[in-house]
Amino acid sequence: MRRRTFLHHAARGVAAAFLASHALAKRLLALPVPTRKFAASDPVTLGRTGIQTSLLAMGTGTVGSGHHSHQTALGVDGLSKLLLNGYDNGLRFFDSADSYGSHPHVAEALKHVDRGKVTVLSKSWAREPNEMRADLERFRRELNTEYIDVFLMHCLTEADWTTRYRPVMDVLEEAKHKGIIRAHGCSCHSIEALRAAAKSPWVDVDLVRINPIGSHMDADPETVVSVLREMKSAGKGIIGMKILGQGDLRGRVDDALRYALSLGVLDAFTIGAESRTEQQDLIRRIAAA
């Protein structure tokens, strides 16, 4: 490439980056402000499930896949101590999943707390009834608990999932009737799946991706929030995830938290701290939002 052409393209790239950064800054400055004070330990109820827990859930799946995450890299002892530090600060929500490999870590933490005071959430990729039955048994064994509070179908993307996976949904509905789980629902990874969840009476709880810049989300924030309002009016429990845009808002944590707290549609939200320092910082920032 000739030098003049190279410089032209480079200048265009710098200008585009500047404009994108400027647009982001304007968007963040225009965000609404929470109308009241919050604390990470605030007691909340997930929709109409009757499940009471804390506003902030302790995520265990930052970049979680293949039975590994940034949190499980801390080891069973390290992550369980991080969960217990949160518990000592009033956090009562343990967010786990099979794909994160965090069940043993949560199980270790549960040994040291009052089980009845903690909400345990897990997620399964099972798409066949027998697979889901096996996961229900295995998850309880790995977590060393008789019941799981919130059990989600993980990472749904299909617009027709409420009919395609009805046999799997029936397994979870039966498990709820038996007291094996307290609530069932899904985590959605497409706007079509999210819209289907909003309309489904089966969904008790939805784990949804939301942040002010649309990072790692199913659609733009305004579109997603409109679906969440539909969910809220239907009485579903709504838990926010990707609050920090999987790290894209790491330099704008306060803005991201203010946005989540000001929406008025989230019952709770989950963020995965990777150290005690990060966890304490999150607790402080939520109180100051």
Side-chain angles (χ1 to χ4, degrees):
M1 183 183 293
R2 292 171 59 187
R3 183 172 183 273
R4 181 177 296 177
T5 304
F6 172 79
L7 291 174
H8 175 70
H9 285 298
R12 287 179 61 185
V14 170
F18 173 79
L19 289 173
S21 176
H22 182 65
L24 173 59
K26 286 181 66 178
R27 183 182 182 86
L28 291 173
L29 285 171
L31 292 179
V33 176
T35 56
R36 66 177 181 86
K37 287 290 187 180
F38 290 88
S41 59
D42 280 347
V44 301
T45 302
L46 301 180
R48 296 175 184 166
T49 65
I51 296 173
Q52 294 184 323
T53 189
S54 59
L55 173 66
L56 179 61
M58 292 179 280
T60 62
T62 302
V63 193
S65 65
H67 303 283
H68 183 271
S69 73
H70 289 184
Q71 283 74 33
T72 59
L74 300 172
V76 171
D77 185 61
L79 179 50
S80 65
K81 285 181 177 176
L82 185 60
L83 294 171
L84 291 173
N85 182 72
Y87 182 88
D88 289 341
N89 282 274
L91 306 185
R92 297 291 186 264
F93 203 164
F94 294 179
D95 171 20
S96 66
D98 184 37
S99 62
Y100 308 159
S102 58
H103 289 165
H105 311 69
V106 171
E108 179 60 31
L110 289 177
K111 293 178 184 178
H112 307 282
V113 300
D114 182 341
R115 174 65 182 90
K117 292 182 178 178
V118 176
T119 299
V120 176
L121 180 152
S122 194
K123 318 171 191 79
S124 166
W125 278 85
R127 299 295 190 259
E128 296 293 336
N130 288 339
E131 291 176 356
M132 185 58 80
R133 290 189 187 95
D135 276 359
L136 283 165
E137 291 305 311
R138 177 170 61 87
F139 286 18
R140 288 189 296 154
R141 185 171 62 252
E142 290 175 351
L143 289 162
N144 194 26
T145 183
E146 294 181 1
Y147 65 93
I148 298 172
D149 298 277
V150 182
F151 200 103
L152 305 182
M153 296 180 67
H154 202 172
C155 198
L156 291 168
T157 59
E158 301 88 348
D160 66 345
W161 73 264
T162 56
T163 52
R164 182 184 300 199
Y165 300 129
R166 184 70 234 188
V168 178
M169 296 158 65
D170 289 342
V171 170
L172 291 178
E173 193 164 345
E174 180 184 6
K176 186 169 76 168
H177 289 318
K178 291 181 177 179
I180 293 172
I181 63 177
R182 297 177 65 195
H184 45 59
C186 57
S187 70
C188 295
H189 284 243
S190 79
I191 192 62
E192 295 80 14
L194 189 68
R195 286 180 171 136
K199 294 182 179 355
S200 172
W202 178 86
V203 174
D204 298 324
V205 176
D206 200 305
L207 181 63
V208 60
R209 303 189 287 185
I210 185 71
N211 58 69
I213 61 172
S215 176
H216 299 275
M217 281 177 53
D218 304 324
D220 62 90
E222 290 78 10
T223 298
V224 170
V225 170
S226 70
V227 180
L228 298 189
R229 290 196 182 106
E230 181 183 352
M231 285 184 170
K232 189 76 171 177
S233 66
K236 302 183 187 306
I238 306 174
I239 305 166
M241 63 172 166
K242 304 298 183 189
I243 301 299
L244 303 182
Q246 199 167 303
D248 290 343
L249 283 163
R250 189 173 289 272
R252 295 277 191 165
V253 174
D254 293 334
D255 293 314
L257 291 173
R258 278 195 291 267
Y259 178 74
L261 294 168
S262 68
L263 288 173
V265 293
L266 302 180
D267 296 314
F269 54 85
T270 180
I271 299 177
E274 297 178 28
S275 68
R276 185 174 298 193
T277 300
E278 278 193 9
Q279 188 180 73
Q280 295 293 153
D281 185 58
L282 271 173
I283 292 170
R284 180 189 61 79
R285 288 178 185 271
I286 291 171

